Amino acid sequence: MTKEQLYDRIEAYLEQQMAPEELAAFEADLQVSQELQLELALHRKLHQELAKAGKARLREQLRKASAEFPVERPGRRWNTGRWLTGLAVAIIIMGAAGRAWWLSRQNGPQESPAVTPPAQQDSLYRQTEEPADTISNITPPTEEKASPEPEQKKVADAFASNPRLEALLGAAPDTLYAISADAGFTRRPDGRYELSIAGLLRAVEAPADARFVLRVYDNTAGNAVEEGPLKLVKIEEDEDIYAFGKLQRFSFSYTLKKRLSPGTYYYLAFKEGKAAPLFAGKAVLGKPGGG
Amino acid sequence: MDQTSYNHLDALSKGDEKGIRDIYMQYLPRINKLITNNGGTGEDAKDVFQEALIVIYEKAQSPEFRLTSSLYTLLYGVCRNIWGNRLQRKSRTEVTLESPDKYKLSEGLEQAIEQEEENTIFWEAFERLGDDCRRLMRLFFDKTSMEEIAETMGYGSTSYAKKRKFQCKEQLVSLVRADSRFRELRP
């Protein structure tokens, strides 16, 4: 008997599709063959378990949901004391004196309004009168003036990195907030991608009315491909008492409404009204021969 | 049971995508902390989290199932137990995770966890099959006739569909047997 015939026989037995004489012969074989007993037990278990269509769907959904959520990578583990130490140093340095300096900058004659109008926030390279630590400051004014063409036309390759956005990658916690985030994406049948960003926000005594936004740019760094609010969900437990108050944790996720063509994208998280991002990340969607 | 727990359990039972995403958003960071504080990685945390949700989903299918705590308390208890079992298998010595009473599980749940650890071997083998075999075997386990399988899969004939079904099932059986966690099942 070939293995294929053995499988057919076992399946006919499990599905109760054997004629009486076949059944009698099979049961007689079972009595004397431990090998057949083991094979039958394995196939029975396979059929019982993998026939659970609802469970199959759930596993697939969990797998997709899981891919959207970042795991904390070695070297970026927020639970270690390293982040707290870094933040402690930042707070000590930028404590009361830093705050006074910050306020003086916001009120100074060369400053932009405390809340940047959305139209000004759209372009990363717009030369506004923003504070010195805003992202637009990365572009020297002369460089932009020298170029009569829009930035979008310079980047022909959708997968090319944008050096200015690359320079922002990673977290840039300020005195009150720090964000870590990762991107997950799913290829749709039309070849475009659904992109989701998920992450954690750490805050020291965060004001209840603080709002955060996410902006996603393609590698031309023109207008944002999409902008949306980051809805924070407070993680109730594990608040650490920390230098000047409690360290609070929030999780967030944002799925873009737009489907994206393959290419390199950058996602930046901002506190609403601030021009400097708290976090910048990068997602490469569908690179041929790569990720 | 509080309303959030009810909504999340309902989302899990119905396979509601948005609700499941919310479950990840609300609970995964805390489970991540539990696992990474006890010798695991972020990937371990996701894996344990998924297995725990499946255990709860399976239990919730039973009409007798009643959630007597918040979903998070149950989830945390199940994750602790799963991770404890995995650490135990890796270690030669007794592994004890600190266990507040509220996270103690019923005997039925502990058995369900052990059962799911065995079931996972079959699902992981299934998920390792190629796309074609996975689709075919899904139809096969859904008791689709060979004629329909041949048509749906675009095979030229029923006999080829049967041949392919055997090849795929053989792969599946081999993957299960190759898994170091697999012990031959007794009838």
Side-chain angles (χ1 to χ4, degrees), chain B residues 146-158:
Chain B
M146 277 298 152
E147 290 76 15
E148 276 182 75
I149 289 178
E151 194 181 326
T152 307
M153 298 294 295
Y155 299 148
S157 66
T158 305

Side-chain angles (χ1 to χ4, degrees), chain A residues 25 79 85 89 109 179 185 225 240 245 260:
Chain A
N79 285 337
T85 308
V89 170
I179 287 181
F185 49 85
V225 173
D240 296 332
L260 304 177

Side-chain angles (χ1 to χ4, degrees), chain B residues 7-70:
Chain B
N7 291 344
H8 283 156
L9 195 58
D10 194 48
L12 196 60
S13 299
K14 291 178 179 164
D16 173 59
E17 200 173 318
K18 190 170 170 295
I20 287 174
R21 201 177 278 147
D22 199 47
I23 290 172
Y24 269 80
M25 198 159 71
Q26 294 222 18
Y27 306 134
L28 180 60
R30 285 179 271 178
I31 299 304
N32 186 49
K33 181 165 185 181
L34 166 73
I35 303 300
T36 53
N37 282 351
N38 285 284
T41 64
E43 284 300 333
D44 291 327
K46 279 187 172 186
D47 200 38
V48 167
F49 190 71
Q50 174 172 326
E51 192 169 318
L53 289 175
I54 290 168
V55 168
I56 293 170
Y57 163 84
E58 292 254 89
K59 288 298 282 182
Q61 303 299 301
S62 156
E64 295 88 45
F65 178 75
R66 295 281 179 277
L67 192 58
T68 54
S69 60
S70 73

